[in-house]
């Protein structure tokens, strides 16, 4: 049995108007969308999603002047500090940890909440380079940012710590470099494995194995202070324009500090496999 009729709700001018609204609410109710309450008597409340947080940032680079390479496990720590109070530790506003940083200069970006900034306070960027928890480099003077006319950019120049300087100044015999070193990386044609042989007769060989075959380079080496200077003069038995690479020995790691990054990649670092206490 069908019952037909019409009725008016307060504020409705015509029955057709009410019917249209009810049909529209019925469709919303069935599809799970919000309704105005004509059908259910319980209007759906509009969602009150929180607005996205407002953030600002400090950008810049971290660098140092010393001819010392960073190691793969070194970590760069960058902090934005409120240094206004001299009678209390600086408050950390933001921080960033950069792992496997490569070599300097190293870019950073510190995101912070502008609501935490007091225009009357002083803010500075502090950066440190740590190796196994020990500080190797840090900035010795404040790098002011944000307030009192200072920008939101910072070029942070670090200095070697006294303990790192003492470690670097230890004498190193040329025989300390002698041995075999290895590195593996992914090149354009797949996995590449390189073996670097530092011979006691002051010659050097670099063998690179990849999908298409093997490339053999040869040359000589000499010691420059605590650094190892390698000059490659042959490639697959043919003479080439000399290529110079300067390495630093840190433990069992041989890291390049002067080289052609386009030719050898950003992380030109070898791990010792034979020599100076390493067993074959």
């Amino acid at each position: 049995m069908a019952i037909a009729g019409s009725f008016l709700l307060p504020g409705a001018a015509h029955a057709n108007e009410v019917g249209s609204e009810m049909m529209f609410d019925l469709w919303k109710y069935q599809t799970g969308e919000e309704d105005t309450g004509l059908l259910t008597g319980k209007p759906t409340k509009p969602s009150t999603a929180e607005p996205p947080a407002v953030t600002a940032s400090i950008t810049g680079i971290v660098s140092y002047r010393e001819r010392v390479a960073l190691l793969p496990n070194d970590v760069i720590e960058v902090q934005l500090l409120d240094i206004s109070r001299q009678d209390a530790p600086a408050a950390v506003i933001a921080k960033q940890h950069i792992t496997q940083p490569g070599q300097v200069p190293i870019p950073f970006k510190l995101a912070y909440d502008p609501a935490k900034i007091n225009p009357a306070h002083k803010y500075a960027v502090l950066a440190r380079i740590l190796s196994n928890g020990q500080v190797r480099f840090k900035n010795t003077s404040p790098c002011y940012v944000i307030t009192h006319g200072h920008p939101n950019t910072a070029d942070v120049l670090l200095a070697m710590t006294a303990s790192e300087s003492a470690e670097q100044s230890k004498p190193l015999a040329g025989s300390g470099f002698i041995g075999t070193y290895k590195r593996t990386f992914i090149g354009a044609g797949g996995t590449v494995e390189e073996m670097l042989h530092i011979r006691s007769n002051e010659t050097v060989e670099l063998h690179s194995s990849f999908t298409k075959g093997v490339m053999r380079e040869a040359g000589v080496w000499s010691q420059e202070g605590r650094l190892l200077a390698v000059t490659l003069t042959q490639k697959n038995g043919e003479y080439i324009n000399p290529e110079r690479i300067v390495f630093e020995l840190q433990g069992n790691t041989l890291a390049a500090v002067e080289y052609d990054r386009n030719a050898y990649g950003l992380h030109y670092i070898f791990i010792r496999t034979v020599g100076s206490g390493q067993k074959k």
Side-chain angles (χ1 to χ4, degrees):
M1 179 176 64
I3 300 177
S6 64
F7 59 92
L8 292 177
L9 292 179
H14 305 286
N16 288 340
E17 181 181 336
V18 175
S20 298
E21 289 186 5
M22 290 186 68
M23 290 300 292
F24 190 53
D25 263 14
L26 177 61
W27 176 78
K28 285 188 172 183
Y29 184 68
Q30 290 176 337
T31 58
E33 295 191 24
E34 65 179 55
D35 63 74
T36 60
L38 283 172
L39 263 173
T40 64
K42 298 179 181 180
T44 303
K45 294 181 180 180
S47 60
T48 55
E50 295 184 0
V54 178
T55 60
S57 62
I58 303 291
T59 58
I61 60 171
V62 173
S63 61
Y64 53 79
R65 293 193 178 100
E66 290 84 354
R67 291 180 62 191
V68 177
L70 294 179
L71 299 177
N73 62 342
D74 284 351
V75 175
I76 297 182
E77 176 187 88
V78 188
Q79 294 181 324
L80 173 61
L81 303 176
D82 184 339
I83 59 172
S84 304
R85 295 185 58 183
Q86 298 184 0
D87 60 343
V92 179
I93 306 299
K95 61 183 177 179
Q96 180 185 14
H97 285 82
I98 304 172
T99 58
Q100 297 183 335
Q103 303 300 326
V104 294
I106 298 156
F108 70 87
K109 182 177 182 179
L110 284 169
Y112 67 92
D113 182 357
K116 295 182 179 181
I117 301 301
N118 185 333
H121 286 197
K122 292 181 179 180
Y123 299 89
V125 173
L126 171 70
R128 306 189 303 173
I129 299 177
L130 301 96
S131 182
N132 298 320
Q134 301 297 316
V135 180
R136 299 183 63 195
F137 296 86
K138 64 180 181 178
N139 51 326
T140 55
S141 58
C143 191
Y144 295 108
V145 291
I146 304 176
T147 57
H148 302 285
H150 296 292
N152 276 38
T153 58
D155 292 343
V156 187
L157 182 63
L158 308 185
M160 185 181 291
T161 61
S163 59
E164 180 69 15
S165 180
E167 181 67 24
Q168 293 294 325
S169 63
K170 292 179 180 179
L172 179 66
S175 59
F177 294 109
I178 296 171
T180 297
Y181 304 80
K182 177 182 177 180
R183 77 164 183 153
T184 303
F185 62 97
I186 304 299
T191 302
V192 180
E193 181 178 286
E194 291 190 336
M195 302 296 292
L196 179 64
H197 304 281
I198 308 298
R199 310 294 190 189
S200 59
N201 61 356
E202 298 186 352
T203 62
V204 59
E205 295 179 13
L206 176 60
H207 296 176
S208 303
S209 302
F210 45 93
T211 305
K212 295 182 180 180
V214 177
M215 180 173 65
R216 293 180 172 84
E217 298 174 84
V220 295
W221 66 268
S222 62
Q223 184 176 357
E224 297 181 359
R226 290 182 56 84
L227 300 176
L228 173 72
V230 170
T231 303
L232 297 174
T233 57
Q234 296 182 50
K235 183 177 293 185
N236 291 333
E238 297 183 0
Y239 286 96
I240 60 173
N241 291 328
E243 296 181 8
R244 174 181 164 88
I245 309 170
V246 179
F247 292 97
E248 178 192 20
L249 183 63
Q250 296 183 357
N252 285 321
T253 300
L254 201 60
V257 295
E258 179 185 317
Y259 63 104
D260 183 351
R261 295 190 179 192
N262 292 328
Y264 296 101
L266 293 177
H267 304 282
Y268 197 38
I269 297 174
F270 290 84
I271 305 299
R272 190 197 296 269
T273 60
V274 178
S276 287
Q278 298 291 314
K279 295 181 180 180
K280 295 185 179 181

